[in-house]
C-alpha cells in the first residue's frame, strides 16, 4: 500500500471536490490501486491555512469553508493542527514531516495567464523541498513549464498537470505513457467550452451578449469572461500543450490570438451557408524549427469533426510522425473531471523512497 | 540503456515493417528512450526459423524473405546462426540465452478468431519460459485473455497487445496508464476499416460486391474478406476490449454478431433520408453484472461522431463512471501504425532484472 500525505493549496470548488472524491473512492483506491491518501495541509485564500501531520478531516474542512468560517483559529482549534502563515509555510512543514517523496502538493489556485503566479511559486517551493507537485492550473504550464520541469528533475520529484487541459481527459498522460517514441509534430483543438457554447447559440441567431449572459446566469462562464471570449484560456492551453509535447518555450502572450467578441450572428450564418462552421480553433506547429501557435475563429468544413462536436465538447488532435493523426474527444467536463485529473496525477507518482 | 533481445514469430508484412521501423528509429530510441533492440530469433511460416544470440541482420532477413528464399539453411548459412525446428524451439533458445526478462517475443501470426491459435500457444510458451510476450494479433486477447494474463502474472513477465485494436492508437495503454481509478462501464466503436469503406461506397450507390472487389483490388481487404464483412474482425476487437477493460470472460463467438452482407444500397439511402447513417457498430456493456457484447449494422444520427468519420477512420468511445465519455479517433491506420504498436509495447516493458 502506497500512503501519501497531501497538501492542498487553493481550496475552492476543485480542491473541495477532490477531497470529497478521494473519500468517495477510498475503497476502490485501496483495493485496486493500493493507494491511500491523507490530507495534512490546507492553504486557503480567505479561511486560513493549517497543518496537521495526523491528518485533517477533509469533509469537515469542506463544510467549514462552505459555511464561510475559518479553519484555524476556528473550527479545527480542538485538533492537533497548527495554524500556518501561508501556503509556503504549509508546504515547508509538510516537507519536513513527510520526507522521501511521500508528500504531494495539489495546487488549485486561480488562473493567471501572464506569469502563472502564485501557482508557479507554490510548485517550485514544493519541488525544491522534495515534495511532488501537481496542479490543475494551466498558468504555470503555459508560462513556465521548462523551468518547473527542470526544478523537478533536479529535486528528483515529479511535476504533473493533467487537469490543465480538457479536465480529466488524459491529454498529457496519453502522450507521455502511450506515445513513447512518437514525435508530436503539431496539435490543434477546440479547447474552450464557453466559446463553444456561445458560438452554438449565435448560430441559432442569439447575440453574443445574450449568449454570454446566459452562460453567466448558469454559472458556467465567470462573471469576468474575458479570459474565455478573448481567447486567453485557449491560448494558455495551446501554450501548455506546445511546451510539454513539442518542447516549445512559449507563453500565452506568444500565441497569435483572436477572440470571438467581434463575431456577429451574420458571420456564423455566412459560414453555414458556405458549408462550414466557425469555431475557436487553437493550434501549434513546428515550422522550420520554430513553433508557431495560434488561436482564432476558424472556418471548418461542416463535415469535419471540429464542426460536429456536440454541446460543449472539446477535442484535441495530435499530429504525429508515426501514427498519422489521433483525436481525443471529451464528452463531458466539469468539477469531478478536474478533480479526477489531480487524482490521476497522484496515482502516476513514483513510489516513495 | 535498456538492451532487449527480440524473437519474432511470424515474419509477414507487420513483422518486417517492425524490423525496419526499429532500424529507422535507432537513434531516436537510443537517445530519447534509452532503449536498444537486437533480433536474436525469427520463426517464419515458409522461410525457416533461426536463432542467433549475436544478433540477426533484420534488413537482410526482410530481403531474403521477400525474395522467397530461406533463412537457414540458406542466406544466413555463413553466420553464427542455427536453424530451428519451429517457433517453440526459437523461443526456448532465446529464453535460455537471454534470462532475467531481457528477451521479448513479438507475435504476428495470422488471426484466428475461433481459439486464438497458434498465437496463444506461442505467447504462453514465451511467458512460461520467462520471456515477455507482445502480440499484434487480436485472436489470443479475444479468445484467451484471462488465461494468458494469469500466466504472465505467475511468471512475473508482461503480456502486451496494443496492436490488437486500432493499430498503434493506444486504446489499451490509455486505459491502463491514464485512466487509473476510473471504471470503464462500456465501450462502443467503429473498429473495422474494410466495412467502413464498403458502406461509404454503397452510400454512393455502388453495390456491396463491387465495393468489396475494389477493396480487394487495392489490397486493403483480404481475398477472403469474410472476417471483415461478417463482423468477425469487429467481434474479436470488441471481445478483446471487453476482456481487458471490463474484466469480461468472453470470446468472439459470444458476441451477438451481424455482418453487412445483407445490406443493400437502398437500406443505406433509407437511413440517409431519415437523417441517419448505417455503420457497423460494436459495443460491450455490463448490464446487471453480465457483459453483453454486440456487433451489428446500426443506424446512427447523422450529427453523431460515428456517422461523421472520414474515410476509413476508426473510433472508440469509452463509457466511464468518473469522466463521462472519452472518444479516440484514428486518423490513419496501416502497417507502420501496427508496427509501432509492437514498439510501443516494447517500450512499456519493465527493466530487465
Amino acid at each position: 500500500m502506497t500512503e501519501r500525505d497531501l497538501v492542498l493549496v487553493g481550496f475552492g470548488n476543485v480542491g473541495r471536490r477532490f477531497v470529497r472524491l478521494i473519500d468517495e473512492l477510498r475503497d476502490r483506491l485501496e483495493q485496486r490501486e493500493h493507494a491511500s491518501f491523507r490530507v495534512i495541509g490546507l492553504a486557503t485564500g480567505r479561511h486560513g491555512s493549517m497543518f496537521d501531520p495526523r491528518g485533517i478531516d477533509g469533509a469537515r474542512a469542506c463544510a467549514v469553508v462552505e459555511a464561510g468560517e475559518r479553519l484555524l483559529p476556528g473550527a479545527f482549534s480542538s485538533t492537533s493542527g497548527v495554524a500556518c502563515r501561508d501556503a509556503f509555510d504549509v508546504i515547508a512543514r509538510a516537507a519536513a514531516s513527510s520526507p522521501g517523496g511521500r508528500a504531494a502538493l495539489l495546487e488549485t489556485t486561480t488562473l493567471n495567464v501572464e506569469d502563472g503566479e502564485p501557482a508557479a511559486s507554490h510548485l517550485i517551493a514544493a519541488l525544491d523541498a522534495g515534495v511532488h507537485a501537481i496542479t490543475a492550473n494551466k498558468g504555470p504550464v503555459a508560462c513556465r513549464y521548462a523551468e518547473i520541469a527542470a526544478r523537478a528533475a533536479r529535486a528528483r520529484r515529479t511535476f504533473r498537470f493533467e487537469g490543465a487541459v480538457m479536465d480529466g481527459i488524459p491529454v498529457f498522460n496519453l502522450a507521455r505513457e502511450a506515445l513513447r517514441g512518437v514525435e508530436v509534430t503539431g496539435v490543434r483543438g477546440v479547447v474552450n467550452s464557453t466559446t463553444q457554447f456561445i458560438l452554438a447559440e449565435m448560430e441559432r441567431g442569439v447575440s453574443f451578449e445574450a449568449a454570454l449572459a446566459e452562460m453567466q446566469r448558469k454559472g458556467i462562464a465567470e462573471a469576468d469572461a474575458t479570459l474565455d471570449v478573448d481567447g486567453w484560456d485557449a491560448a494558455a492551453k495551446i501554450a501548455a500543450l506546445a511546451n510539454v509535447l513539442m518542447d516549445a518555450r512559449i507563453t500565452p502572450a506568444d500565441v497569435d490570438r483572436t477572440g470571438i467578441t467581434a463575431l456577429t450572428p451574420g458571420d456564423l450564418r455566412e459560414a453555414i451557408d458556405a458549408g462550414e462552421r466557425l469555431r475557436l480553433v487553437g493550434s501549434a506547429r513546428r515550422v522550420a524549427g520554430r513553433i508557431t501557435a495560434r488561436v482564432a475563429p476558424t472556418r471548418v468544413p461542416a463535415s469535419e469533426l471540429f464542426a460536429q462536436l456536440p454541446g460543449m465538447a472539446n477535442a484535441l488532435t495530435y499530429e504525429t510522425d508515426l501514427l498519422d493523426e489521433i483525436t481525443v474527444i471529451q464528452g463531458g467536463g466539469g468539477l469531478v473531471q478536474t478533480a479526477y485529473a489531480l487524482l490521476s496525477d497522484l496515482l502516476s507518482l513514483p513510489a516513495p523512497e
Side-chain angles (χ1 to χ4, degrees), chain A residues 264-289:
Chain A
T264 64
D267 295 329
L268 281 100
R269 275 196 305 273
E270 193 181 300
I272 290 174
D273 291 344
E276 299 180 321
R277 309 287 286 275
L278 265 166
R279 291 290 174 261
L280 187 68
V281 175
S283 63
R285 263 185 210 102
R286 190 178 299 281
V287 179

Side-chain angles (χ1 to χ4, degrees), chain A residues 4 32 48 61 72 120 123 129 135 162 194 198 241 244 299 339:
Chain A
R4 294 260 174 224
R32 290 202 224 156
L72 235 179
L123 296 165
T135 186
E162 193 54 77
T194 298
I198 292 174
L241 288 161
V244 177
R299 280 168 78 146

Side-chain angles (χ1 to χ4, degrees), chain A residues 118-143:
Chain A
S121 291
H122 295 151
L123 296 165
I124 287 170
L127 292 166
D128 286 353
V131 173
H132 297 296
I134 293 170
T135 186
N137 185 328
K138 65 192 81 69
V141 193
C143 298

Side-chain angles (χ1 to χ4, degrees), chain A residues 36 83 86 103 116 128 161 168 174 179 199 205 214 216 265 273 275 304 311 320:
Chain A
S36 93
D86 57 16
D128 286 353
F161 39 80
L174 185 146
L179 296 181
L199 292 176
E214 190 187 338
Q216 289 170 326
D273 291 344
E304 287 193 6
T320 76

Side-chain angles (χ1 to χ4, degrees), chain A residues 1 17 20 47 55 59 76 80 83 105-106 111 131 168 174 190 259 341:
Chain A
M1 184 74 74
R17 189 67 192 86
R20 287 176 169 133
H47 306 273
F76 282 82
S80 52
L105 165 66
L106 300 162
L111 174 62
V131 173
L174 185 146
V190 172

Side-chain angles (χ1 to χ4, degrees), chain A residues 275-333:
Chain A
E276 299 180 321
R277 309 287 286 275
L278 265 166
R279 291 290 174 261
L280 187 68
V281 175
S283 63
R285 263 185 210 102
R286 190 178 299 281
V287 179
R290 238 185 105 255
I291 299 284
T292 57
R294 186 162 180 268
V295 167
T298 304
R299 280 168 78 146
V300 180
S303 62
E304 287 193 6
L305 292 171
F306 287 0
Q308 298 291 343
L309 293 173
M312 293 189 289
N314 283 189
L316 180 69
T317 297
Y318 305 77
E319 301 164 355
T320 76
D321 63 342
L322 294 179
L323 296 178
D324 201 327
E325 296 192 344
I326 305 173
T327 302
V328 181
I329 296 172
Q330 174 184 37

Side-chain angles (χ1 to χ4, degrees), chain A residues 146-165:
Chain A
E147 177 192 352
I148 303 171
R151 296 273 193 144
R154 195 163 50 193
R156 288 183 297 122
R157 292 295 178 261
T158 301
F159 172 38
R160 289 273 190 270
F161 39 80
E162 193 54 77
V165 178

